[in-house]
């Protein structure tokens, strides 16, 4: 393999190099993701169903951080 600058590589060349290098260092790793039994639409619907929305009038994250900061001073 000839010396090559990363800046001169294509994204695909870089990916191949990374996978090859990591594979040599960690041969026990598997690079294949198990196929999902759910479709992308099903996953997004699940995320939407399980999303928690704070009740109206709840303090915002910024307000909570300011309150915490003020208590520490």
């Amino acid at each position: 393999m000839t010396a090559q600058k990363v800046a001169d590589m294509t994204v695909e060349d870089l990916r191949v190099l990374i996978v090859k290098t990591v594979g040599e260092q960690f041969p026990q790793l598997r690079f294949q993701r198990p196929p999902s039994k759910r479709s992308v639409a099903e996953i997004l619907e699940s995320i939407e169903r399980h999303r928690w929305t704070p009740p109206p009038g709840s303090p915002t994250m910024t307000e909570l951080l300011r309150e915490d900061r003020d208590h520490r001073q």
Side-chain angles (χ1 to χ4, degrees), residues 7 9-10 15 21 28 53-56 63 68-72:
M9 298 176 123
T10 65
R15 283 187 180 135
T21 303
Q28 72 277 13
T53 303
E63 292 169 333
D68 185 58
R69 179 195 62 199
D70 294 342
H71 284 292
R72 292 175 187 258

Side-chain angles (χ1 to χ4, degrees), residues 16-66:
V16 168
L17 176 64
I18 291 169
V19 168
K20 179 181 175 200
T21 303
V22 171
E24 289 171 355
Q25 297 297 315
F26 303 99
Q28 72 277 13
L29 292 180
R30 303 240 187 264
F31 291 103
Q32 298 295 323
R33 245 186 239 178
S36 177
K37 296 177 182 171
R38 299 187 298 170
S39 69
V40 173
E42 289 172 321
I43 293 169
L44 293 175
E45 288 170 10
S46 174
I47 291 170
E48 186 66 32
R49 279 195 318 272
H50 293 92
R51 182 178 292 153
W52 179 77
T53 303
S58 296
T60 65
M61 183 58 68
T62 303
E63 292 169 333
L64 291 171
L65 289 170
R66 285 181 180 148

Side-chain angles (χ1 to χ4, degrees), residues 1-18:
M1 181 176 196
T2 61
Q4 196 175 9
K5 290 182 182 178
V6 172
D8 296 334
M9 298 176 123
T10 65
V11 173
E12 186 57 33
D13 290 341
L14 183 58
R15 283 187 180 135
V16 168
L17 176 64
I18 291 169

